[in-house]
Amino acid sequence: MVVNYDRLFSKRSKLLKSSEIRELLKLTQSDDFISLGGGLPNPQAFPVDIIRECINKIFESNILNALQYGTTEGLSLLRRVIAERMKKEKNIDCEMHDIIITSGAQQALSFVAFNFLDAGDTYMTSAPTYLGAIQAFHAYEANCEAIPLNHDGINIDALRRNLKRLHRTGIIPKFYYTVATFQNPSGETISLENRKALLELASEYDFLIVEDDPYGDLIFEGDPIPPIKSLDKKGRVIYISSFSKILAPGFRLAWVIASEEVLNKFTLTKQSMDLCTNVFSQYVAYEYIKGGYLDRHIKHIRELYKHKRDVMLQALEEYFPEGVKWTVPKGGMFLWVTLPKYINTRLMFKKALAKKVAYVVGDAFYPDGSNYNSMRLNFSYSDDEVIREGIKRLADVIKEEMASSADKETYYAEGV
Ligand SMILES: Cc1ncc(COP(=O)(O)O)c(C=O)c1O
């Protein structure tokens, strides 16, 4: 008898969607294809020799522990050095017991969803926002209130208006999710003033802030803006950061700083999901921080990514036609391109694939799929010449699309 999976899969499992974009990006694996779509660190930025040294040290002193199961909260040695670094570099008041280690920031996002979202609950975020967070929250049947982002990383007035409107109807959101610094996808950063305003709103309306911060260390210019968590005296912020962009994503290591109540729940969730995070990776990260390599490496990747951003910005100036705008991020790995309103980047995507260049369609980062004339470009991954050639190909696609759009007055309906 044939297995009837449709009857067997849970309702929740049926809500999981494969990302259409990720599927399309798989087509871009061939050698002559240029993908400006992925969100990958540059492989040249992997500190291979340092990692080898760290592993040698583990073999000399800790190999038996590194091969054993670990505690669910994570390796104490690692949590302690992270706490020291968070205090020193980010001004976050925390100790080892305020931190748990997770298998990537993505796992922490699924813990947020599991522990805070029941069907029909409401959470808030910006539009656009990180695609992986939309995916993690989607399966829990929550409603999303997405507030359009502006150049300050958050539209605080629109957020205030929406909170008032929701409040009138008896809806109090559970949390506001934000990538406050060098956002994926837009590259925008929330100002200090708006970080404070967001915390005040969280206190007034009693919701949590989920601050996802994988890019804060990748700063190219200007003064760093303190994480929202560093301003939080009441345990309202769940802070998530990751080793993926400052060491290597293959280690699948991230950490969460939150109140005792939240960490207890996350620890129980983790026990049932994977028992503990990869112990060997945790020892590598510990040796990496303790040896003083992390700070040195961050300095190196800041320079590398600043250079790559500048290569992309220069190519955009040179090749992109008039009428196309883009953000100039002061850090991170992405910039956001806005095309004239009569262009639909989803419809244009197949034409880009035909010219062997790819981007991520902007609507993927909108929880309701609205917005159709934008795209995310990644500048960290490719070699300089590849970035220039990719932008040149993309410029040709855009110019052709602009020329062939006969009716420039007709805008696509949102969500097309
Ligand atoms: C904003 C954001 N959060 C979370 C993640 C997932 O990170 P990790 O590799 O630590 O799971 C990413 C990955 O690109 C990201 O951009």
Side-chain angles (χ1 to χ4, degrees):
M1 190 169 155
V2 183
V3 183
N4 181 359
Y5 282 111
D6 202 44
R7 184 185 71 79
L8 299 171
F9 280 134
S10 68
K11 271 195 236 146
R12 175 153 295 147
S13 142
K14 286 179 190 159
L15 283 172
L16 294 172
K17 288 195 292 198
S18 110
S19 157
E20 200 184 317
I21 306 294
R22 226 154 265 183
E23 294 305 313
L24 283 172
L25 287 175
K26 280 189 198 153
L27 302 174
T28 66
Q29 304 294 334
S30 68
D31 278 352
D32 54 347
F33 210 102
I34 297 180
S35 176
L36 304 173
L40 307 183
N42 194 302
Q44 285 168 21
F46 296 149
V48 177
D49 292 336
I50 298 173
I51 291 171
R52 189 179 292 116
E53 248 178 71
C54 293
I55 291 176
N56 286 342
K57 276 198 188 134
I58 297 168
F59 271 89
E60 282 159 22
S61 53
N62 262 321
I63 187 63
L64 297 183
N65 289 334
L67 296 176
Q68 190 54 278
Y69 282 113
T71 57
T72 307
E73 293 85 347
L75 187 68
S76 304
L77 292 169
L78 177 62
R79 290 155 71 213
R80 198 166 291 128
V81 288
I82 290 176
E84 278 163 19
R85 189 163 192 280
M86 289 293 99
K87 274 193 273 196
K88 187 164 146 258
E89 299 289 327
K90 311 275 174 188
N91 206 21
I92 296 176
D93 180 19
C94 64
E95 302 299 332
M96 181 197 99
H97 57 256
D98 301 311
I99 295 178
I100 67 163
I101 307 293
T102 57
S103 304
Q106 194 62 35
Q107 183 177 56
L109 292 175
S110 70
F111 290 173
V112 169
F114 181 86
N115 285 289
F116 290 103
L117 296 178
D118 287 317
D121 279 350
T122 297
Y123 73 94
M124 302 185 100
T125 186
S126 59
T129 192
Y130 169 54
L131 173 60
I134 302 175
Q135 282 177 325
F137 303 151
H138 176 76
Y140 290 82
E141 297 170 76
N143 301 319
C144 176
E145 286 281 332
I147 314 293
L149 187 105
N150 64 14
H151 289 298
D152 212 4
I154 192 169
N155 187 337
I156 206 83
D157 293 332
L159 176 61
R160 192 175 285 114
R161 275 197 306 277
N162 274 277
L163 281 165
K164 267 192 196 143
R165 173 180 58 79
L166 290 172
H167 201 242
R168 274 199 300 274
T169 54
I171 296 170
I172 303 175
K174 292 279 185 79
F175 59 82
Y176 183 90
Y177 168 78
T178 176
V179 184
T181 309
F182 314 133
Q183 195 218 27
N184 177 2
S186 69
E188 300 287 5
T189 293
I190 303 182
S191 67
L192 179 59
E193 190 190 347
N194 281 340
R195 287 173 194 231
K196 290 180 183 162
L198 178 59
L199 254 183
E200 275 165 26
L201 284 175
S203 183
E204 187 181 339
Y205 288 94
D206 194 23
F207 60 87
L208 297 174
I209 297 168
V210 179
E211 181 179 24
D212 188 4
D213 187 26
Y215 303 106
D217 281 315
L218 306 183
I219 179 169
F220 313 148
E221 55 202 31
D223 291 328
I225 301 182
I228 307 172
K229 183 70 188 163
S230 70
L231 311 167
D232 171 33
K233 305 289 170 235
K234 306 217 172 102
R236 260 194 201 281
V237 180
I238 299 174
Y239 178 87
I240 303 167
S241 192
S242 170
F243 282 102
S244 288
K245 310 296 170 353
I246 54 173
L247 174 57
F251 283 119
R252 307 308 303 129
L253 277 185
W255 65 97
V256 179
I257 308 177
S259 67
E260 190 184 342
E261 291 87 339
V262 171
L263 291 188
N264 284 344
K265 285 287 184 193
F266 282 16
T267 306
L268 284 175
T269 318
K270 192 166 170 62
Q271 261 168 24
S272 74
M273 286 188 184
D274 66 356
L275 300 180
C276 66
T277 300
N278 183 320
V279 179
F280 194 86
S281 303
Q282 294 187 71
Y283 271 99
V284 174
Y286 164 65
E287 295 290 349
Y288 180 63
I289 297 182
K290 196 188 69 163
Y293 302 118
L294 175 61
D295 292 325
R296 247 186 287 161
H297 184 63
I298 286 176
K299 197 164 167 284
H300 166 65
I301 44 180
R302 279 179 186 160
E303 280 161 21
L304 179 70
Y305 289 176
K306 179 180 190 300
H307 168 77
K308 298 218 165 278
R309 178 204 63 173
D310 291 343
V311 169
M312 184 171 275
L313 287 175
Q314 206 185 7
L316 288 168
E317 288 289 351
E318 201 170 318
Y319 298 119
F320 267 29
E322 194 123 332
V324 181
K325 291 183 288 185
W326 51 89
T327 55
V328 179
K330 292 184 174 156
M333 298 187 356
F334 306 102
L335 57 80
W336 184 253
V337 175
T338 307
L339 297 163
K341 286 224 166 197
Y342 55 86
I343 303 288
N344 183 318
T345 52
R346 186 170 283 271
L347 299 182
M348 195 176 76
F349 191 70
K350 291 226 167 76
K351 297 173 195 168
L353 289 185
K355 285 222 170 7
K356 295 196 176 285
V357 62
Y359 51 85
V360 185
V361 175
D363 67 22
F365 302 96
Y366 280 68
D368 62 357
S370 65
N371 181 292
Y372 52 86
N373 61 328
S374 55
M375 60 173 76
R376 185 193 76 177
L377 298 181
N378 165 273
F379 53 78
S380 62
Y381 177 70
S382 304
D383 291 344
D384 296 3
E385 266 323 298
V386 175
I387 294 177
R388 287 183 60 76
E389 174 61 23
I391 294 295
K392 194 161 165 244
R393 288 185 198 175
L394 198 49
D396 289 342
V397 176
I398 293 171
K399 283 180 203 159
E400 276 172 30
E401 194 72 355
M402 285 168 78
S404 70
S405 296
D407 183 0
K408 296 189 169 45
E409 297 305 316
T410 305
Y411 297 166
Y412 286 99
E414 301 245 320
V416 169

